[in-house]
Amino acid sequence: MSDSDQSGEATATPSALPSWAPAQAQVLLSLLNDLIEAVDEGRPADRCLSGFFAKQKKFGSRDRRFLRDACFSWLRWRGLLLDEPLPFGICAAWALDGHRIWPPALASLLQDLGKEAPQELSEDPLSRIPEVSAALGLNLPGPEQLLPDGWEEEFSHTGPFEDRLREHVLRPPTWMRVDQQAQPELHAQLIEAGAEWAGESAACAYALRKAGTVRLLLQQHSAHVELQDLASQQVARICAPKSGEFWWDACCGAGGKSLQLLDLAERNLDLTCTDKRESVLTELSKRGRRHGLAKTRRYALDLLRDPTMPNIEFDGILVDAPCSGSGTWARNPDGPWRSDPGNLRQLGRRQLKMLHAVLPALKEGGSLIYAVCSLTKSETIQVTQAFLAEAKVELESFPHPLTGQEQAGELFLLPGELNADGMYIARFRKTS
């Protein structure tokens, strides 16, 4: 099926179904069945889909987008659909997502089931559950079943659990960060291309809602823009590096925050970047060269294995630690089904060990920023409380990067408040 074969952007009525629609519906069901099996084995859904499309060259970009969207729709609502046959489940998930356009393959499934697409659905996703259930003749459970057992207690410190459930089924847009110096010049072009500006409080952040816009802007402005979630961008702003300082990004990954630290310090920062994975350091090098930032110090280092610390005394250290990723579940709805809340305490102990590992390299009075893209109790406040009790540190207040309101050393960025990922950030000061 090529791009011209699949018309997923137009509503298809049963009487006007193209001949290929039933076949594509069967491809979808087969793919989803394999994907469910992979997720249950602990494999990430996005990697499995990428592998599938790499082998199936016959699918055009619109085919791939439809199949991906439909599979992730089912994964998003999986907790409510476990008892439903896949044809019913995939149609229910599409309706629960609030889609008003039904691609031919899904219209074909509806026709086979003897059902019609639900109409007049609520804007609130949780309110759509009984509406879709009634329209399709299903018996869907309540929203409390959206996540597996055990997660509610881990989110109890963040407010009503219903808010976390609602965030889980509301996928945020893609966010882009623009270099500070280039932002004034590029602003009008980005808006004209379809980007949505976050406003003065996050002047370098733009939301992108169409995949085509993302590709276009990355191609046109590769030297000045990077894909980086709005919540992630606030971590470096809370670090607030100053020109001429020495900083260490101790779990740098592919380097999005590293590049932002350099940008915030007007590119005059002595920056050391480490990660245990050589592959991501290679990617950081490529990204740095694109931005003219090739002079960062970087090498592989595993903080959990008796590491050899950098022979530098740092003004600031960022530990953006590996975590459960619960703050990103709206983008990766298979996440809670690949994770076990019973393992979070062990993960928290590893994060605490990382903080202890880097502390000797920090100057007295220096700042240590701990960040995770998670909201769970075991990875956030419990890690902070343990570190305060065990190390010579204290929480260091900072202004909220988006509101300016003073924070007492800790900040939760909730997905529903930002229309972005969830993050936890704590800022410590090393004491004598």
Side-chain angles (χ1 to χ4, degrees), residues 151 304 321-326 339-354 370 372 374 376 378-380 383:
W151 289 108
L304 297 175
C323 66
S324 67
S326 68
S339 305
D340 181 355
N343 295 332
L344 291 177
R345 290 186 180 180
Q346 180 181 356
L347 195 52
R349 287 192 291 270
R350 291 166 61 88
Q351 293 155 345
L352 179 61
K353 185 176 180 180
M354 289 180 176
Y370 171 64
V372 283
S374 177
T376 66
S378 295
E379 300 173 275
T380 60
V383 173

Side-chain angles (χ1 to χ4, degrees), residues 12-18 107-108 111:
T13 62
S15 60
L17 285 177
S108 173
Q111 183 180 25

Side-chain angles (χ1 to χ4, degrees), residues 120-316:
E120 304 296 329
L121 295 175
S122 299
E123 290 295 322
D124 175 52
L126 301 189
S127 298
R128 289 198 287 266
I129 296 173
E131 297 170 351
V132 171
S133 186
L136 295 181
L138 306 177
N139 187 25
L140 300 180
E144 66 279 358
Q145 298 298 313
L146 278 168
L147 296 180
D149 292 339
W151 289 108
E152 183 171 3
E153 172 57 27
E154 279 291 339
F155 296 127
S156 60
H157 58 294
T158 65
F161 188 49
E162 185 176 279
D163 291 346
R164 306 290 79 78
L165 296 173
R166 182 174 287 104
E167 291 166 350
H168 177 64
V169 295
L170 286 173
R171 189 180 188 280
T174 299
W175 286 92
M176 180 177 70
R177 181 183 61 81
V178 183
D179 290 342
Q180 288 185 125
Q181 292 183 344
Q183 189 272 337
E185 179 182 349
L186 294 182
H187 177 75
Q189 298 177 49
L190 298 176
I191 297 300
E192 185 176 355
E196 300 172 18
W197 189 39
E200 292 289 351
S201 64
C204 293
Y206 294 80
L208 308 170
R209 300 185 185 276
K210 295 182 178 180
T213 304
V214 174
R215 290 192 296 269
L216 174 66
L217 294 178
L218 288 177
Q219 291 169 358
Q220 291 181 338
H221 308 293
S222 60
H224 302 294
V225 303
E226 289 286 338
L227 293 184
Q228 187 178 1
D229 187 75
L230 179 63
S232 172
Q233 294 182 38
Q234 308 321 307
V235 175
R237 297 180 71 191
I238 289 171
C239 291
K242 296 182 177 62
S243 178
E245 288 186 332
F246 287 74
W247 274 77
W248 177 16
D249 187 353
C251 301
C252 67
K257 297 182 184 69
S258 303
L259 296 177
Q260 189 182 5
L261 289 171
L262 287 161
D263 188 48
L264 291 171
E266 300 175 348
R267 305 194 176 195
N268 183 30
L269 194 68
D270 191 301
L271 181 63
T272 298
C273 301
T274 63
D275 197 280
K276 70 177 183 179
R277 299 162 295 173
E278 291 277 5
S279 59
V280 299
L281 294 170
T282 300
E283 178 62 22
L284 170 58
S285 298
K286 294 178 182 177
R287 296 172 77 181
R289 285 194 294 270
R290 282 205 309 270
H291 291 261
L293 302 171
K295 295 183 179 181
T296 56
R297 188 183 300 106
R298 49 193 175 270
Y299 57 93
L301 177 66
D302 189 339
L303 295 175
L304 297 175
R305 294 190 174 183
D306 193 24
T308 301
M309 292 292 111
N311 188 26
I312 300 172
E313 194 174 37
F314 293 99
D315 297 290

